[in-house]
Amino acid sequence: MKLEPFKFKRIVAVCSDCEARSDGPRHLESKGVVKDLRRQAADAPVRTRVARTRCVGVCARKALAAVAL
C-alpha cells in the first residue's frame, strides 16, 4: 500500500453536538469557535486543519469539547 503524505501537521476537532445539549454553554457556538481557531491557526508555524465533528466522547459538563491531534 502506498501512503500519501498528509498536508496538515495538526488537526483540531470541535464537537458540534455540545451546543445542542440543554445543559451546555449558552454563549459558545461551535461555528464561532471554529472560525476563531482557524484565524489563530493561520499564524501557526505548521499547517492546521480545524473541523466541526460529531460527538467525540470527551465532553465535560457545561463546556465545549475540542480535541487537538
Side-chain angles (χ1 to χ4, degrees):
M1 176 196 305
K2 183 181 176 186
L3 297 175
E4 295 292 324
F6 197 64
K7 60 183 177 180
F8 298 106
K9 298 291 181 187
R10 186 174 297 149
I11 300 172
V12 178
V14 178
C15 182
S16 63
D17 288 343
C18 287
E19 67 184 17
R21 294 187 320 206
S22 61
D23 66 342
R26 299 281 184 234
H27 61 282
L28 286 178
E29 294 181 351
S30 61
K31 286 182 183 180
V33 170
V34 168
K35 193 177 199 180
D36 290 338
L37 285 173
R38 283 185 181 153
R39 274 193 219 123
Q40 291 178 1
D43 298 333
V46 295
R47 279 190 82 179
T48 304
R49 170 78 168 146
V50 180
R52 290 177 69 209
T53 63
R54 292 296 214 174
C55 186
V56 291
V58 296
C59 302
R61 289 180 173 245
K62 299 185 180 183
L64 184 68
V67 177
L69 303 171

